[in-house]
Amino acid sequence: MADFTIIGGGIIGAAVAFELKQRHPDAGIRIIEKEARIASHQTGRNSGVIHAGIYYDPGSLKARFCREGVDATIRFCDANGIPYEQCGKLIVATNELEQQRLLALYDRANTNQLDVELLDETQLTAAEPNIIGTGAIFAKTTGIVSYRAVAEAMIERFKQAGGKVTLGQKAIGIDEDENRVLVRLSNGDLVSTRKLIVCGGLMADRLAILQGLDIDFRIVPYRGEYYRLPADKNDIVQHLIYPVPDPALPFLGVHLTRMIDGSVTVGPSALQGWKREGYGRINFSLRDTVDLLSYPGFWRVSTRFLGTGLREIRNALWKPSYLQQVRKYCPSITLSDLQSCPAGVRAMAVSRDGRLIHDFLLAETARTLHVCNAPSPAATSAIPIAQYICDKTEGKKPSAAATAADVIPAG
């Protein structure tokens, strides 16, 4: 019997396995991942940004974990020889409304005790000659890294310490009694464990239902499509360039992101996904679509953001419309600059009443803990999230600052 088993080999599962092995070097710990490679989904397909935490509500777990996660991520990269760069981020206002929102965001950043600077138009031009705007917030600690490399390093350290890794096997059954949890794998194996932690990402709701937990949310996938700029545009910006977000919308908008490999991407879009793990040009799953269409929360959230959804469809179908989103602050980019780039899918937890769940959501039983929702900036925050999860798994009382997480006491 294992002492701890983790389902899910994204960066949260990898960080939990690594943290548990550090705390319990003699314990039997196993991580199970259904793909043949660690970090195959959200972790390996995101923008690689080390977020400063500027957008998040003061006092929320997202704000706290992100602030701690920046330092923890950088320390881990330094200790393991993983390349990263703290190039900083500019959030750029292009009109009077955005300028007002920018000032409100600046106040929030200061409340969150972040290292930020407010730039006027002249200072913005000096920092980024190819960017136009009325002003900007300079978030100094924002950086870039490959989160796949971070997750793989965590797993390698975990294995070196004696941890077990099972790849290419899907959990098809989870049964708990008073003494143990049994996990049935797709190859017919049974894994017996004293404690189970589930970090399922895009499949978080299905894994909770697989165990028979009573949950009031479902994962709604949103497909993010990117473009990559040609190599001769790799120096077009020296920082990450973001628009001022609309506080009524759940996504940050189209931005310019410097990648750790030296390239620059434009994106993402936020299209309704009809396949949870759909990364190709044609993405449709009958099961995923039926699950969406039969869930009341999907219709409620889709109706609420109908206008936004239609604009995203237009941008996806007509590249000039997509281009306009970035040309408002970087006018030198042309249509021919928008080259193909791998897509990603974001897992959005949506309640039955159509509410987008923006903070962390956990479901617990006596021997299991399901990470039902670990929203962006989960990759940045993976190490403090893992510490929090391990504390709860070990029965430690979370600190007062950590009580903002929604916890479903599942039977």
Side-chain angles (χ1 to χ4, degrees):
M1 183 186 293
D3 295 296
F4 301 95
T5 297
I6 301 99
I7 294 176
I11 196 166
I12 302 299
V16 169
F18 176 59
E19 177 69 20
L20 280 172
K21 200 60 182 171
Q22 289 182 298
R23 296 187 184 197
H24 305 280
D26 297 325
I29 306 175
R30 173 179 292 198
I31 186 166
I32 299 168
E33 164 57 44
K34 68 183 178 68
E35 306 295 349
R37 184 182 182 185
I38 291 295
S40 293
H41 295 291
Q42 293 181 106
T43 299
R45 292 178 173 272
N46 61 35
S47 58
V49 176
I50 305 173
H51 288 282
I54 193 169
Y55 304 107
Y56 314 123
D57 292 334
S60 68
L61 276 184
K62 290 174 76 169
R64 172 197 161 199
F65 285 164
C66 191
R67 188 171 59 249
E68 296 173 359
V70 172
D71 293 337
T73 299
I74 288 170
R75 287 196 302 270
F76 184 85
C77 290
D78 285 337
N80 292 274
I82 299 171
Y84 69 92
E85 180 185 351
Q86 281 187 285
C87 54
K89 173 169 67 176
L90 292 173
I91 303 171
V92 179
T94 60
N95 56 47
E96 182 57 34
L97 175 59
E98 290 181 354
Q99 186 68 27
Q100 293 174 10
R101 290 172 176 170
L102 188 78
L103 295 176
L105 197 58
Y106 180 68
D107 289 340
R108 172 175 287 191
N110 284 315
T111 302
N112 282 333
Q113 300 179 322
L114 303 179
D115 188 4
V116 295
E117 181 180 352
L118 192 62
L119 307 183
D120 61 23
E121 185 173 355
T122 301
Q123 292 169 314
L124 170 61
T125 301
E128 288 288 358
N130 292 313
I131 300 300
I132 61 172
T134 60
I137 295 172
F138 178 27
K140 301 177 185 179
T141 61
T142 300
I144 51 176
V145 73
S146 165
Y147 283 114
R148 182 190 292 276
V150 173
E152 289 176 339
M154 288 174 172
I155 292 298
E156 186 59 32
R157 290 278 300 276
F158 170 70
K159 289 164 60 178
Q160 290 170 357
K164 305 295 184 183
V165 178
T166 299
L167 297 176
Q169 296 301 325
K170 181 180 179 181
I172 60 172
I174 303 174
D175 298 295
E176 177 183 357
D177 61 34
E178 62 182 12
N179 298 312
R180 64 181 181 177
V181 182
L182 278 177
V183 180
R184 295 192 301 277
L185 301 183
S186 50
N187 66 351
D189 286 353
L190 280 175
V191 176
S192 178
T193 186
R194 290 186 175 88
K195 292 279 190 176
L196 176 68
I197 303 168
V198 183
C199 307
L202 284 158
M203 301 298 171
D205 55 341
R206 289 180 180 170
L207 286 164
I209 293 168
L210 185 66
Q211 190 179 335
L213 304 190
D214 183 16
I215 58 171
D216 190 33
F217 77 95
R218 293 294 184 272
I219 295 298
V220 174
Y222 289 93
R223 178 181 165 90
E225 294 185 349
Y226 294 83
Y227 291 101
R228 191 183 306 275
L229 298 184
D232 62 5
K233 293 286 179 73
N234 283 353
D235 294 326
I236 193 169
V237 291
Q238 302 306 308
H239 307 80
L240 309 183
I241 309 296
Y242 278 59
V244 176
D246 183 340
L249 300 178
F251 302 105
L252 295 178
V254 172
H255 40 271
L256 288 169
T257 306
R258 295 182 59 214
M259 306 295 283
I260 199 63
D261 64 2
S263 62
V264 177
T265 63
V266 179
S269 60
L271 291 168
Q272 177 60 63
W274 302 104
K275 184 178 182 180
R276 294 197 186 195
E277 297 171 355
Y279 309 115
R281 296 303 303 169
I282 300 175
N283 297 282
F284 177 81
S285 161
L286 181 60
R287 179 187 177 185
D288 293 349
T289 301
V290 169
D291 282 354
L292 274 179
L293 297 180
S294 61
Y295 181 54
F298 163 74
W299 292 104
R300 290 173 179 139
V301 75
S302 298
T303 300
R304 179 182 171 192
F305 294 109
L306 179 60
T308 301
L310 292 175
R311 285 194 297 271
E312 292 295 324
I313 292 172
R314 179 193 64 193
N315 292 344
L317 295 176
W318 193 47
K319 192 185 289 189
S321 180
Y322 194 108
L323 180 65
Q324 290 175 7
Q325 305 301 307
V326 69
R327 280 179 58 91
K328 70 176 186 177
Y329 54 78
C330 190
S332 62
I333 294 179
T334 66
L335 202 61
S336 62
D337 290 331
L338 300 182
Q339 302 179 352
S340 62
C341 184
V345 178
R346 176 177 176 178
M348 180 67 76
V350 178
S351 64
R352 182 168 289 273
D353 62 5
R355 177 174 56 93
L356 297 174
I357 301 172
H358 292 297
D359 216 340
F360 295 92
L361 181 67
L362 309 175
E364 292 184 279
T365 68
R367 293 188 174 274
T368 70
L369 188 151
H370 288 249
V371 181
C372 300
N373 191 45
S376 178
T380 300
S381 310
I383 294 174
I385 291 171
Q387 293 167 347
Y388 174 79
I389 290 169
C390 291
D391 283 347
K392 292 189 70 64
T393 301
E394 294 169 349
K396 296 179 181 178
K397 185 177 180 180
S399 66
T403 57
D406 290 321
V407 179
I408 307 168

